[in-house]
Amino acid sequence: MELDELRRRWQQPAPDVSTSYNAQTLEQLLMKTKQNSIGRMRRNARWELGFTLVLLVGSTIGFFYVKSLETRTMLLWLILISLISLVSYHRHMLSGIQELSGVGATIHTHITQRVAGLRQLLQASYRSSVWVLCVTFGIVLSFALYKALTQYSGRLLLIQLVGVGLGCVVAVVVSHFVRRVVRQVLQDLYGRHLDRLEAALSDLQDAQ
Amino acid sequence: MLAAPPDFLVLLNEYQPLLRRVCRLYCPDADDRQDLYQEIVTQLWQAWPRYQPRPDVKVSTWLYRVALNVAISDLRQRTRRPAAAHLDAARLPDVPLLPADGPDTDDLHQLYRAINCLSDVDKAFVLLYLEERTYEEMADILGITQNNVRVKMHRVQEKLRQLLTQPA
């Protein structure tokens, strides 16, 4: 059969799937729609942002009430991390998600924005996960070292230093493992989708 | 209760068959098709307040854009649908044709099965061809030049013809 003939048949109306929508049936339809991936990303990002804000406020309040130098230093670290996370989230995650949201653009523009936004999100997620882990290990080990140097001497100091050294080795091994796991998880979650979008973009540009 | 603007309801009722055809083209599976349809309507609903009518652009152009963008790029839909087969290795999969979806003919069945072997972008070209859109409107929907639409459309039609001549 010729394509033109198929085209003619294609447009024949489908008899019984159409629904006549009113405000109520439209509402029912919209309520039934499961939250899409962008909605879930946005919701997760907001939760993380909220958590970081709570951490920032809590650390700041704590900083002014606590007397111990050790705890104050730890809280100062937390304030710094929270601030950097807030800026980073606002700059990378939320703007990346915003990039993914528009659907009214041309298909070429839409896919290009999707690819760029998704790539930005993946990089931000990967970097923030690795960064938080490294900073956490850094803080813990720094305090362990500080405590060892100020509270112990002689053989006990040596044992403490060996402990900190072992802690460093564990931190490096765990960081390496977590980096690989995070990379794999992100690849499983979004990598194939990104590959497909890039293939679609390349397919579209193929004619140009 | 949603305050559905009456113009959106008019639009949805008028263009519902178009949206259904997009879903039918991208999703052989009935559940996936319904999910995709709901997602498209939701995206249209959310985008409608930002839609600005222009005298030189039809509302259908905007509808095709939204529907195709959702169909091509939605993550949930994408993970469910299989990737398109390469033409050389393409064996037409057995796609169930629901009687409710349109004229129940072997030819259309064959057409759906052939379309299912195409990539998502090629499916968009086939859809716009079957919907008898002009090259100008296709270029406006796809975001490429009319010349490029012609070149690509020629290739896609050839691919589709080859697939249609393959035995089931």
Side-chain angles (χ1 to χ4, degrees), chain A residues 18-22 25, chain B residues 6 8-17:
Chain A
S18 295
T19 313
S20 182
Y21 287 103
N22 54 35
T25 49
Chain B
F8 181 77
L9 287 168
V10 171
L11 177 94
L12 185 58
N13 285 321
E14 186 179 344
Y15 288 97
Q16 190 187 159

Side-chain angles (χ1 to χ4, degrees), chain A residues 3 10 13 26 29-30 34-35 51 62 78 83 88 98 102 115 151 153 162 165 186:
Chain A
L3 285 180
W10 167 264
L26 176 64
L29 178 79
L30 294 175
K34 296 164 198 158
Q35 193 173 41
F51 177 75
L78 273 176
L83 277 173
S88 164
Q98 193 58 35
V115 168
Q151 293 182 5
S153 61
V162 169
L186 290 175

Side-chain angles (χ1 to χ4, degrees), chain A:
Chain A
M1 169 165 282
E2 285 303 310
L3 285 180
D4 287 339
E5 175 62 16
L6 282 171
R7 180 153 73 170
R8 193 182 57 73
R9 290 196 185 185
W10 167 264
Q11 296 208 358
Q12 288 175 13
D16 53 356
V17 283
S18 295
T19 313
S20 182
Y21 287 103
N22 54 35
Q24 199 177 2
T25 49
L26 176 64
E27 184 188 5
Q28 282 168 358
L29 178 79
L30 294 175
M31 298 292 269
K32 270 197 291 185
T33 307
K34 296 164 198 158
Q35 193 173 41
N36 66 16
S37 51
I38 310 296
R40 281 199 303 274
M41 282 181 190
R42 189 180 287 116
R43 187 195 58 198
N44 291 344
R46 281 180 184 156
W47 273 107
E48 286 161 6
L49 207 59
F51 177 75
T52 314
L53 265 174
V54 169
L55 200 65
L56 178 65
V57 173
S59 317
T60 311
I61 292 170
F63 182 79
F64 289 107
Y65 278 91
V66 170
K67 300 282 180 227
S68 150
L69 176 70
E70 198 175 298
T71 315
R72 287 189 94 180
T73 314
M74 178 78 94
L75 288 171
L76 197 64
W77 261 113
L78 273 176
I79 290 169
L80 196 67
I81 290 171
S82 307
L83 277 173
I84 293 172
S85 300
L86 277 178
V87 173
S88 164
Y89 251 95
H90 188 71
R91 196 170 153 196
H92 297 293
M93 298 296 271
L94 293 180
S95 66
I97 291 169
Q98 193 58 35
E99 283 264 304
L100 301 179
S101 303
V103 286
T106 65
I107 293 171
H108 185 270
T109 306
H110 176 77
I111 299 177
T112 306
Q113 285 174 346
R114 275 263 159 139
V115 168
L118 206 54
R119 193 174 283 139
Q120 184 181 338
L121 280 177
L122 292 185
Q123 281 175 355
S125 298
Y126 175 73
R127 283 178 187 161
S128 64
S129 306
V130 173
W131 190 80
V132 165
L133 187 75
C134 291
V135 168
T136 307
F137 274 129
I139 293 170
V140 170
L141 290 170
S142 303
F143 274 99
L145 185 63
Y146 173 78
K147 202 173 171 184
L149 291 173
T150 52
Q151 293 182 5
Y152 300 98
S153 61
R155 198 164 164 231
L156 278 177
L157 173 64
L158 193 65
I159 291 169
Q160 290 291 321
L161 290 178
V162 169
V164 172
L166 281 174
C168 287
V169 173
V170 170
V172 170
V173 172
V174 170
S175 299
H176 182 68
F177 176 72
V178 169
R179 269 177 61 180
R180 291 186 64 165
V181 170
V182 169
R183 192 188 288 259
Q184 190 59 48
V185 167
L186 290 175
Q187 176 65 29
D188 288 348
L189 282 176
Y190 303 112
R192 268 187 297 173
H193 181 55
L194 190 58
D195 291 345
R196 281 175 187 274
L197 287 180
E198 282 177 337
L201 192 59
S202 146
D203 202 4
L204 200 56
Q205 286 167 338
D206 186 35
Q208 296 187 42

